Amino acid sequence: LAATGERDPAVLAEHFARGGAPERAAHLYLPAAEAALGGNDFARTLELIERGLACQPSPTRRARLLLVGAEAHRWRGEHGLAAEQAEEALGLVTPSVALFFQAAGLLALTAGRIGKTDRLLALS
């Protein structure tokens, strides 16, 4: 598909998923989900995240997918789900990488919104 000019990462991801290349699929589900999030299509974002997670990606890619999903949940007002995904992402990455701080920030924001002050204090 890429050789014929297909540029849509969601289409390419589905192609790789069906073709037995799950890590390549997961790699492409991420930008597809980010594009959907950027277009405020939160339902599509979460659908693409689920598909990417089903590909059993590496821990870092899983964390990135989870954080995009957490953002979609946050924008839908689903702060509990956002906090859960941010918490899982936080546990997948090394504390010294930027992704860790992104996850911690999102977790702090959502934990505060749902009244989990104990978790918020633990983060600080």
Side-chain angles (χ1 to χ4, degrees), residues 51-84:
R51 289 181 183 182
L53 293 172
C55 292
Q56 302 298 311
S58 68
T60 300
R61 185 158 291 125
R62 182 175 180 82
R64 288 189 169 126
L65 285 162
L66 287 166
L67 287 175
V68 173
E71 279 292 338
H73 283 301
R74 185 175 73 86
W75 283 105
R76 287 170 43 143
E78 300 165 344
H79 300 291
L81 293 171
E84 287 175 20

Side-chain angles (χ1 to χ4, degrees), residues 82-121:
E84 287 175 20
Q85 288 193 328
E87 183 83 54
E88 183 180 345
L90 189 65
L92 292 171
V93 293
T94 305
S96 63
V97 296
L99 197 55
F100 176 87
F101 295 105
Q102 182 183 352
L106 187 54
L107 178 56
L109 178 67
T110 55
R113 297 256 171 144
I114 60 175
K116 288 191 173 185
T117 54
D118 57 329
R119 187 61 183 120
L120 186 57
L121 291 172

Side-chain angles (χ1 to χ4, degrees), residues 6-79:
E6 181 60 59
R7 299 281 184 235
D8 185 342
V11 171
L12 293 170
E14 190 65 28
H15 175 75
F16 283 121
R18 290 182 183 182
E23 185 60 32
R24 289 183 79 182
H27 177 75
L28 290 163
Y29 278 125
L30 181 60
E34 289 170 333
L37 181 66
N40 296 326
D41 189 346
F42 307 125
R44 179 72 173 149
T45 301
L46 294 171
E47 176 187 326
L48 292 164
I49 293 301
E50 281 185 38
R51 289 181 183 182
L53 293 172
C55 292
Q56 302 298 311
S58 68
T60 300
R61 185 158 291 125
R62 182 175 180 82
R64 288 189 169 126
L65 285 162
L66 287 166
L67 287 175
V68 173
E71 279 292 338
H73 283 301
R74 185 175 73 86
W75 283 105
R76 287 170 43 143
E78 300 165 344
H79 300 291

